[in-house]
Amino acid sequence: MEILNAFFSAFVDSSSAAFALAAIGLGVHFGYGGLLNFGQAGFMAMGAYGFSIWTAVVAPTENWGWHPIASFLSAIVVGIIAASIYAFILGLPTLKLRGDYLAIVTIAAAEIVRFSVRTTELTPITGGSQGMTGASIKTDIQEINPLPSGQYGFWVFEAGAYDTWVRIIGWSLVAVAVVLVWALFRSPWGRVVKGIREDEDAVRSLGKNVFSYKMQVLVLGGVLGGLGGIMYILPRALQPDFFATPTTFYLWTALLLGGAATVFGPVIGAILFWALLNGVRSIIGVAHEYGFFFGLSSTQAAQLSFVFVGIALMVLVVFRPQGIFGNKKELSFNV
Amino acid sequence: MSKVTAADLISGTNGPGVAKKDPIIVADGVTRQFGGLKAVDVDHLEIPRNAITALIGPNGAGKTTLFNLLTGFDKPNTGTWSFDGTNLAGIPSFKAARSGMVRTFQLTKSLGRLTVLENVLLGASDQKGERFWASFIPGIWREQENANREKALELLARFKLDAKKDDYAASLSGGQRKLLEMARALMSDPQLVMLDEPMAGVNPALTQSLLDHVLGLKEDGMTVLFVEHDMHMVRHISDWVVVMAEGKVVAEDVPEDIMKNQAVVDAYLGSHHDTDLGSITGQIEMEEALQAELAEERADADTEAATDKEQS
Ligand SMILES: Nc1ncnc2c1ncn2[C@@H]1O[C@H](COP(=O)(O)OP(=O)(O)OP(=O)(O)O)[C@@H](O)[C@H]1O
Ligand SMILES: [Mg+2]
């Protein structure tokens, strides 16, 4: 039961929705646009910090008497703007260069962001290394929750009013993102972007402003990452160390699991990533109780789940390199 | 279709860099240095409008580099040039393409994981749906897209690629990719197409049909500049030939006379003066055979034109 719970709750959990959003963004970058972003966690941080600082520090409800809905929506907009500006700044010097430069800059910038928000001097604004408590960032969203308190859902999917409300928002955003990506990439705009992924110079020779398209792609995927960051902190608290490099690589795992240049791939990938991770972790927990892994403490044993997920990923890459939804044909060419 | 003569194109006495009556490209003092090597060193060059100009020269003469410079894919050390009267020096490549000069690449650049049809559709200019916000509203671009699709299919049929339209471009053969690239370049109805060895690797039977297509483009008012090593093709379709060697323009002339130019013979054979002269004699024999063939062709073309006139 415990194991099933851990496995299946990932299908509705808002963390999966948060990862799905960020993975969709990464899919826009890499799968469609061919941009190597190894710092999606940085974009998530921009969204999350933009949202949190606006809600808890600027606090329009408290200071300016705004309606909580206005405050909540404006906080999301602030998160989006923060992620966009971040994308723009990273893209400006790198998008004219070869792809590897963007990879280096994104990975470094994400760490710079994390270390910056952690500095003690910034504690009044960012909360320093402690981040911000859940209570301080949840004020508006709790206020506008239309669900009366109580339990919702059934079986392992049951949750309280607040969590259900966050789930509704999270999965609605995922739905919007999926439709958005689908609409974009069946349009001529998407065709240009996919063309750039294949060969920039060819697209340039046809009169398209490649730099501008790449910038649009970087901002779009970054904004989706920012929304993912916001959704990730809403059920818990703002923790600066969540936005470290491992998060980026979990997102890559989720993306490759589902299939990079697909609409639903990142969503299913994110769900499966959490389902497998939590499922395996809980199996190990149960096994640990029964005396397996006797040399290890329970936390050490829990870390083993990453090993198993890693192995699962390797198996996947060997037997289904295009991901669950990917098109095998696309991969069979050496382009 | 009457053959253009030198007098129709140039003003003044002929020589490298001669002024044209109606130039579409005018380049001045264009140089490009790679380390110690001056790959391009063109004092003055004009490309005549509404004519087919061949750019020939030995390997490494700087033809591709000159193409790259003119289209903004490479930056010169010095020099200015204009296209259709507007200055293009320092203009990014996509803007050069938008102003009406579209090029193809010697090493083909097909977009592998796009279908053949998508490749060609990318060539269309001013597709409104290529703007971010407009792309969400199919009403804005659907009609244009359908028209483009029709045009693209026509082009693909012309290039014998229509059966492959839904295949990934990565699955095409080398020659087919050349064709695809040419079709894609023509999709935007450019004023000037610049083809870098368009027929390298293309089957001779198809070459003929494509040459006819290129000639048709000229009839429609397009200007063509192409690099080619196959002298047969050069003679067959070009109105004017520019010869480059070691980065410089060494000669210009009508195709019939270009090989008689001493500078050209030097350019091609200069580094092989000590080799067997038999190959040169061979060239001269070939030259004569070609002349005869060409005269025949021209006679054919003239009678054709005459019958055309009678019919209309
Ligand atoms: N990026 C580069 N870096 C260094 N040298 C270069 C570069 N591109 C070209 N060159 C040199 O410039 C010279 C001219 O090259 P280019 O490609 O223009 O010749 P080409 O006339 O097109 O020859 P081909 O007929 O073989 O295609 C060559 O000697 C080449 O080695
Ligand atoms: Mg060349």
Side-chain angles (χ1 to χ4, degrees):
Chain A
M1 186 61 209
E2 210 180 302
I3 295 168
L4 282 183
N5 190 1
F7 184 81
F8 280 110
S9 60
F11 284 79
V12 292
D13 198 41
S14 54
S15 304
S16 308
F19 265 58
L21 281 168
I24 293 171
L26 202 55
V28 168
H29 285 158
F30 174 70
Y32 291 108
L35 299 181
L36 282 174
N37 169 11
F38 283 116
Q40 185 69 334
F43 292 90
M44 293 180 83
M46 293 315 283
Y49 273 91
F51 178 91
S52 304
I53 292 171
W54 185 260
T55 306
V57 181
V58 181
T61 5
E62 228 173 85
N63 297 338
W64 306 330
W66 284 21
H67 191 279
I69 292 186
S71 174
F72 176 69
L73 291 180
S74 59
I76 289 188
V77 171
V78 169
I80 289 175
I81 292 174
S84 312
I85 294 174
Y86 179 70
F88 192 75
I89 291 172
L90 296 193
L92 216 49
T94 50
L95 289 181
K96 291 212 163 134
L97 307 172
R98 240 180 26 221
D100 353 11
Y101 291 92
L102 180 68
I104 296 165
V105 165
T106 47
I107 199 169
E111 284 296 276
I112 292 172
V113 167
R114 187 166 67 90
F115 281 111
S116 308
V117 295
R118 283 179 59 115
T119 49
T120 342
E121 285 75 16
L122 284 178
T123 308
I125 301 171
T126 61
S129 58
Q130 296 298 310
M132 296 189 201
T133 61
S136 64
I137 57 171
K138 287 176 187 170
T139 46
D140 293 325
I141 184 174
Q142 251 162 351
E143 200 65 40
I144 59 175
N145 184 359
L147 303 172
S149 63
Q151 289 296 106
Y152 293 85
F154 58 95
W155 193 43
V156 300
F157 304 127
E158 205 173 286
Y162 178 76
D163 283 338
T164 310
W165 174 227
V166 174
R167 283 177 184 181
I168 290 172
I169 298 176
W171 289 109
S172 309
L173 282 177
V174 171
V176 170
V178 162
V179 172
L180 191 97
V181 168
W182 169 80
L184 274 172
F185 287 98
R186 65 155 188 173
S187 78
W189 183 89
R191 188 168 56 214
V192 177
V193 170
K194 284 188 269 181
I196 291 170
R197 172 189 72 194
E198 300 301 310
D199 193 316
E200 279 182 40
D201 277 343
V203 176
R204 233 173 240 135
S205 78
L206 300 171
K208 322 288 180 203
N209 187 347
V210 168
F211 179 75
S212 158
Y213 279 99
K214 283 166 87 174
M215 189 59 99
Q216 292 168 39
V217 168
L218 189 65
V219 169
L220 173 68
V223 164
L224 290 171
L227 289 174
I230 297 175
M231 287 321 301
Y232 190 79
I233 58 165
L234 277 182
R236 26 181 94 74
L238 180 69
Q239 271 295 335
D241 288 334
F242 166 72
F243 304 103
T245 319
T247 301
T248 296
F249 288 103
Y250 298 159
L251 290 170
W252 274 97
T253 309
L255 179 68
L256 299 179
L257 200 64
T262 60
V263 174
F264 287 107
V267 180
I268 303 301
I271 292 174
L272 281 186
F273 173 77
W274 280 111
L276 288 177
L277 191 64
N278 291 342
V280 170
R281 194 178 277 168
S282 117
I283 291 173
I284 291 174
V286 170
H288 188 261
E289 269 172 41
Y290 284 100
F292 288 93
F293 318 117
F294 28 88
L296 300 175
S297 72
S298 63
T299 15
Q300 282 171 329
Q303 293 299 322
L304 275 180
S305 56
F306 287 106
V307 175
F308 286 110
V309 171
I311 292 171
L313 189 72
M314 279 188 236
V315 171
L316 178 96
V317 168
V318 170
F319 291 104
R320 206 174 160 80
Q322 73 274 35
I324 294 165
F325 282 92
N327 179 347
K328 179 97 192 189
K329 237 170 122 191
E330 282 199 4
L331 268 194
S332 60
F333 299 113
N334 250 332
V335 236
Chain B
M1 189 180 57
S2 63
K3 198 79 182 172
V4 180
T5 62
D8 295 333
L9 292 174
I10 62 171
S11 49
T13 49
N14 196 5
V18 60
K20 305 297 180 308
K21 281 188 171 144
D22 184 13
I24 191 164
I25 285 189
V26 181
D28 274 296
V30 178
T31 62
R32 177 66 166 107
Q33 193 112 19
F34 292 117
L37 172 83
K38 225 171 199 179
V40 167
D41 184 7
V42 172
D43 283 337
H44 187 80
L45 177 64
E46 297 185 8
I47 307 294
R49 188 193 307 273
N50 196 11
I52 301 180
T53 305
L55 180 60
I56 65 170
N59 291 122
K63 307 179 294 291
T64 299
T65 309
L66 181 64
F67 259 42
N68 289 344
L69 294 173
L70 292 179
T71 52
F73 279 87
D74 193 3
K75 292 203 167 41
N77 295 95
T78 64
T80 56
W81 62 99
S82 65
F83 168 69
D84 204 17
T86 51
N87 170 49
L88 273 194
I91 299 290
S93 51
F94 78 92
K95 281 194 184 149
R98 268 187 208 172
S99 71
M101 57 192 290
V102 175
R103 68 166 303 179
T104 64
F105 296 87
Q106 180 170 7
L107 300 171
T108 44
K109 295 186 183 296
S110 54
L111 307 168
R113 285 178 293 166
L114 259 55
T115 67
V116 168
L117 181 59
E118 283 176 318
N119 262 271
V120 180
L121 284 172
L122 255 184
S125 51
D126 296 323
Q127 164 57 279
K128 293 192 189 75
E130 287 178 359
R131 271 177 265 149
F132 184 80
W133 296 110
S135 70
F136 290 107
I137 307 156
I140 296 179
W141 46 264
R142 200 31 69 67
E143 205 178 312
Q144 213 180 351
E145 181 78 357
N146 289 339
N148 286 345
R149 196 170 287 258
E150 223 164 90
K151 186 170 160 194
L153 288 174
E154 263 169 45
L155 270 171
L156 284 175
R158 179 90 211 186
F159 286 77
K160 300 270 184 295
L161 287 171
D162 43 344
K164 297 225 156 231
K165 69 182 166 62
D166 295 321
D167 292 0
Y168 282 122
S171 73
L172 296 184
S173 73
Q176 285 170 329
R177 288 181 201 199
K178 280 258 157 196
L179 298 175
L180 174 61
E181 211 183 47
M182 206 161 140
R184 196 172 63 192
L186 294 177
M187 187 66 193
S188 64
D189 294 324
Q191 284 185 65
L192 168 68
V193 269
M194 300 173 61
L195 310 168
D196 200 344
E197 305 200 14
M199 297 305 163
V202 173
N203 137 28
L206 193 49
T207 311
Q208 192 56 49
S209 134
L210 293 181
L211 294 185
D212 290 344
H213 188 67
V214 172
L215 290 171
L217 296 177
K218 191 180 79 166
E219 302 279 280
D220 298 340
M222 206 180 280
T223 307
V224 182
L225 173 63
F226 71 103
V227 173
E228 186 54 64
H229 286 292
D230 176 5
M231 280 309 289
H232 193 261
M233 171 176 168
V234 170
R235 302 171 151 283
H236 185 66
I237 64 164
S238 61
D239 301 311
W240 192 250
V241 182
V242 175
V243 186
M244 278 182 83
E246 291 169 5
K248 294 188 167 62
V249 174
V250 292
E252 293 187 47
D253 212 332
V254 289
E256 292 75 25
D257 299 333
I258 194 74
M259 273 312 196
K260 294 180 194 145
N261 190 317
Q262 189 54 40
V264 179
V265 176
D266 283 350
Y268 272 93
L269 305 171
S271 51
H272 306 287
H273 269 327
D274 49 346
T275 53
D276 182 11
L277 279 175
S279 60
I280 301 174
T281 354
Q283 282 237 330
I284 292 166
E285 275 163 18
M286 209 169 81
E287 179 80 4
E288 279 161 1
L290 281 172
Q291 288 285 10
E293 198 179 315
L294 208 73
E296 229 169 79
E297 264 168 30
R298 218 178 303 163
D300 283 354
D302 284 348
T303 41
E304 242 173 65
T307 41
D308 278 356
K309 234 174 231 166
E310 273 165 29
Q311 277 167 353
S312 59

